[in-house]
Amino acid sequence: MGVENEILKAGDGENFPKQGDELTMHYTGTLADGGKEFDSSVSRGKPFKFVIGIGQVIRGWDEGVMKMSLGEKAMLKITSDYGYGERGAPGAIPPNADLNFEVELLAIGSKTAPGFNSSTSCIIL
């Protein structure tokens, strides 16, 4: 149980997030069973900003994203206990659903991945 990272595109291999860092990411979330998309910053055209390692996101993200380096694109395969668990997310994610997130680490604080323009991001408070 937990989170498995499958690297789709290597990052710089040098800059990794630490607890308390503000990250900027693109993601697309799908249900592992059937592949139905439930959320995507890519579809909205606005990257997602959050602070890693403090519970602002699901446990699978807190643990899986910390293994990524700047610029990396990965598939996070997250079991339900590291996702939304028994409660699910009404209207989007059923109870006990395993999830897949295609994620791309665009920025760690002010350090940005090559080709990323940070002026187009969305901040979640």
Short mmCIF file of all heavy atoms in Angstrom, two decimals, residues 33-60:
data_model
loop_
_atom_site.label_atom_id
_atom_site.label_comp_id
_atom_site.label_asym_id
_atom_site.label_seq_id
_atom_site.Cartn_x
_atom_site.Cartn_y
_atom_site.Cartn_z
N ASP A 33 -9.21 2.36 -11.62
CA ASP A 33 -10.19 1.43 -12.17
C ASP A 33 -11.00 2.15 -13.26
O ASP A 33 -11.87 2.96 -12.96
CB ASP A 33 -11.11 0.91 -11.06
CG ASP A 33 -12.10 -0.12 -11.54
OD1 ASP A 33 -11.92 -0.67 -12.65
OD2 ASP A 33 -13.07 -0.40 -10.81
N GLY A 34 -10.66 1.90 -14.51
CA GLY A 34 -11.42 2.49 -15.61
C GLY A 34 -10.80 3.72 -16.24
O GLY A 34 -11.13 4.10 -17.35
N GLY A 35 -9.93 4.41 -15.50
CA GLY A 35 -9.20 5.54 -16.07
C GLY A 35 -9.97 6.84 -16.21
O GLY A 35 -9.52 7.76 -16.89
N LYS A 36 -11.14 6.97 -15.55
CA LYS A 36 -11.92 8.20 -15.66
C LYS A 36 -11.17 9.37 -15.03
O LYS A 36 -10.76 9.31 -13.88
CB LYS A 36 -13.29 8.02 -14.99
CG LYS A 36 -14.15 9.26 -15.08
CD LYS A 36 -15.47 9.09 -14.37
CE LYS A 36 -16.24 10.40 -14.43
NZ LYS A 36 -17.28 10.47 -13.42
N GLU A 37 -11.02 10.46 -15.80
CA GLU A 37 -10.37 11.67 -15.28
C GLU A 37 -11.32 12.38 -14.32
O GLU A 37 -12.49 12.57 -14.62
CB GLU A 37 -10.01 12.60 -16.44
CG GLU A 37 -9.27 13.85 -16.00
CD GLU A 37 -8.90 14.75 -17.17
OE1 GLU A 37 -8.26 14.26 -18.12
OE2 GLU A 37 -9.27 15.94 -17.12
N PHE A 38 -10.78 12.80 -13.16
CA PHE A 38 -11.61 13.52 -12.19
C PHE A 38 -11.12 14.94 -11.94
O PHE A 38 -11.85 15.77 -11.40
CB PHE A 38 -11.75 12.75 -10.87
CG PHE A 38 -10.45 12.44 -10.20
CD1 PHE A 38 -9.81 13.37 -9.40
CD2 PHE A 38 -9.86 11.19 -10.38
CE1 PHE A 38 -8.60 13.07 -8.78
CE2 PHE A 38 -8.66 10.88 -9.76
CZ PHE A 38 -8.02 11.83 -8.97
N ASP A 39 -9.88 15.25 -12.31
CA ASP A 39 -9.37 16.61 -12.11
C ASP A 39 -8.09 16.78 -12.92
O ASP A 39 -7.33 15.84 -13.09
CB ASP A 39 -9.08 16.86 -10.62
CG ASP A 39 -8.85 18.33 -10.29
OD1 ASP A 39 -9.19 19.20 -11.12
OD2 ASP A 39 -8.32 18.61 -9.20
N SER A 40 -7.86 18.02 -13.40
CA SER A 40 -6.65 18.27 -14.18
C SER A 40 -6.32 19.76 -14.21
O SER A 40 -7.12 20.57 -14.68
CB SER A 40 -6.83 17.76 -15.61
OG SER A 40 -5.70 18.09 -16.39
N SER A 41 -5.13 20.09 -13.73
CA SER A 41 -4.65 21.47 -13.86
C SER A 41 -4.28 21.74 -15.32
O SER A 41 -4.36 22.87 -15.79
CB SER A 41 -3.43 21.71 -12.97
OG SER A 41 -2.32 20.97 -13.43
N VAL A 42 -3.90 20.70 -16.04
CA VAL A 42 -3.54 20.83 -17.45
C VAL A 42 -4.76 21.30 -18.25
O VAL A 42 -4.67 22.24 -19.05
CB VAL A 42 -2.99 19.50 -18.02
CG1 VAL A 42 -2.67 19.62 -19.49
CG2 VAL A 42 -1.76 19.05 -17.24
N SER A 43 -5.92 20.67 -18.01
CA SER A 43 -7.15 21.05 -18.71
C SER A 43 -7.55 22.49 -18.41
O SER A 43 -8.07 23.18 -19.28
CB SER A 43 -8.31 20.12 -18.30
OG SER A 43 -8.05 18.81 -18.72
N ARG A 44 -7.29 22.93 -17.18
CA ARG A 44 -7.61 24.32 -16.79
C ARG A 44 -6.57 25.30 -17.32
O ARG A 44 -6.81 26.51 -17.33
CB ARG A 44 -7.70 24.44 -15.27
CG ARG A 44 -8.94 23.82 -14.67
CD ARG A 44 -9.10 24.19 -13.20
NE ARG A 44 -8.02 23.71 -12.37
CZ ARG A 44 -7.92 22.48 -11.88
NH1 ARG A 44 -8.85 21.59 -12.14
NH2 ARG A 44 -6.91 22.14 -11.11
N GLY A 45 -5.39 24.80 -17.69
CA GLY A 45 -4.32 25.67 -18.18
C GLY A 45 -3.66 26.48 -17.08
O GLY A 45 -3.00 27.48 -17.35
N LYS A 46 -3.80 26.04 -15.83
CA LYS A 46 -3.22 26.75 -14.69
C LYS A 46 -2.54 25.76 -13.76
O LYS A 46 -3.20 24.92 -13.15
CB LYS A 46 -4.29 27.50 -13.91
CG LYS A 46 -4.95 28.59 -14.72
CD LYS A 46 -5.03 29.85 -13.91
CE LYS A 46 -5.65 30.92 -14.75
NZ LYS A 46 -4.90 32.11 -14.78
N PRO A 47 -1.21 25.84 -13.63
CA PRO A 47 -0.51 24.96 -12.68
C PRO A 47 -1.00 25.17 -11.25
O PRO A 47 -1.56 26.22 -10.91
CB PRO A 47 0.96 25.39 -12.82
CG PRO A 47 1.05 26.01 -14.16
CD PRO A 47 -0.28 26.69 -14.37
N PHE A 48 -0.78 24.17 -10.42
CA PHE A 48 -1.23 24.12 -9.03
C PHE A 48 -0.05 24.41 -8.12
O PHE A 48 1.02 23.81 -8.28
CB PHE A 48 -1.79 22.71 -8.79
CG PHE A 48 -2.16 22.39 -7.38
CD1 PHE A 48 -3.08 23.14 -6.69
CD2 PHE A 48 -1.62 21.28 -6.76
CE1 PHE A 48 -3.44 22.81 -5.39
CE2 PHE A 48 -1.97 20.93 -5.46
CZ PHE A 48 -2.89 21.71 -4.78
N LYS A 49 -0.24 25.33 -7.17
CA LYS A 49 0.80 25.65 -6.18
C LYS A 49 0.35 25.17 -4.80
O LYS A 49 -0.81 25.36 -4.42
CB LYS A 49 1.02 27.17 -6.11
CG LYS A 49 1.99 27.69 -7.10
CD LYS A 49 2.35 29.14 -6.76
CE LYS A 49 3.36 29.67 -7.76
NZ LYS A 49 3.85 30.97 -7.39
N PHE A 50 1.28 24.59 -4.06
CA PHE A 50 0.99 24.13 -2.70
C PHE A 50 2.30 23.97 -1.94
O PHE A 50 3.38 24.00 -2.53
CB PHE A 50 0.22 22.81 -2.72
CG PHE A 50 1.01 21.65 -3.26
CD1 PHE A 50 1.59 20.73 -2.40
CD2 PHE A 50 1.19 21.48 -4.62
CE1 PHE A 50 2.34 19.67 -2.89
CE2 PHE A 50 1.93 20.43 -5.12
CZ PHE A 50 2.51 19.51 -4.26
N VAL A 51 2.20 23.77 -0.63
CA VAL A 51 3.37 23.52 0.21
C VAL A 51 3.42 22.02 0.48
O VAL A 51 2.44 21.42 0.94
CB VAL A 51 3.31 24.35 1.51
CG1 VAL A 51 4.50 24.02 2.40
CG2 VAL A 51 3.27 25.83 1.19
N ILE A 52 4.58 21.41 0.22
CA ILE A 52 4.74 19.96 0.34
C ILE A 52 5.07 19.54 1.78
O ILE A 52 5.73 20.28 2.51
CB ILE A 52 5.85 19.45 -0.64
CG1 ILE A 52 5.86 17.93 -0.76
CG2 ILE A 52 7.22 19.96 -0.24
CD1 ILE A 52 4.78 17.37 -1.59
N GLY A 53 4.56 18.37 2.15
CA GLY A 53 4.96 17.75 3.41
C GLY A 53 4.25 18.25 4.65
O GLY A 53 4.65 17.92 5.77
N ILE A 54 3.16 19.02 4.48
CA ILE A 54 2.45 19.54 5.66
C ILE A 54 0.96 19.19 5.64
O ILE A 54 0.18 19.78 6.37
CB ILE A 54 2.65 21.07 5.82
CG1 ILE A 54 2.07 21.85 4.64
CG2 ILE A 54 4.13 21.41 6.02
CD1 ILE A 54 1.98 23.35 4.89
N GLY A 55 0.58 18.26 4.76
CA GLY A 55 -0.82 17.81 4.73
C GLY A 55 -1.75 18.66 3.89
O GLY A 55 -2.97 18.50 4.00
N GLN A 56 -1.24 19.56 3.06
CA GLN A 56 -2.12 20.34 2.18
C GLN A 56 -2.69 19.48 1.05
O GLN A 56 -3.69 19.85 0.45
CB GLN A 56 -1.37 21.53 1.56
CG GLN A 56 -1.20 22.69 2.49
CD GLN A 56 -0.65 23.92 1.77
OE1 GLN A 56 -0.30 23.89 0.60
NE2 GLN A 56 -0.56 25.01 2.50
N VAL A 57 -2.00 18.39 0.74
CA VAL A 57 -2.43 17.47 -0.32
C VAL A 57 -2.51 16.06 0.27
O VAL A 57 -2.10 15.83 1.40
CB VAL A 57 -1.44 17.51 -1.51
CG1 VAL A 57 -1.51 18.85 -2.23
CG2 VAL A 57 0.00 17.24 -1.06
N ILE A 58 -3.03 15.14 -0.52
CA ILE A 58 -3.14 13.75 -0.02
C ILE A 58 -1.75 13.18 0.26
O ILE A 58 -0.75 13.62 -0.30
CB ILE A 58 -3.92 12.86 -1.02
CG1 ILE A 58 -3.25 12.83 -2.39
CG2 ILE A 58 -5.38 13.29 -1.09
CD1 ILE A 58 -3.88 11.85 -3.37
N ARG A 59 -1.73 12.18 1.13
CA ARG A 59 -0.48 11.57 1.57
C ARG A 59 0.34 11.02 0.39
O ARG A 59 1.57 11.12 0.38
CB ARG A 59 -0.78 10.45 2.57
CG ARG A 59 0.45 9.81 3.16
CD ARG A 59 0.06 8.80 4.22
NE ARG A 59 1.24 8.10 4.72
CZ ARG A 59 1.19 7.05 5.51
NH1 ARG A 59 0.02 6.58 5.91
NH2 ARG A 59 2.29 6.47 5.91
N GLY A 60 -0.32 10.46 -0.60
CA GLY A 60 0.38 9.94 -1.76
C GLY A 60 1.17 11.01 -2.50
O GLY A 60 2.25 10.75 -3.02
#
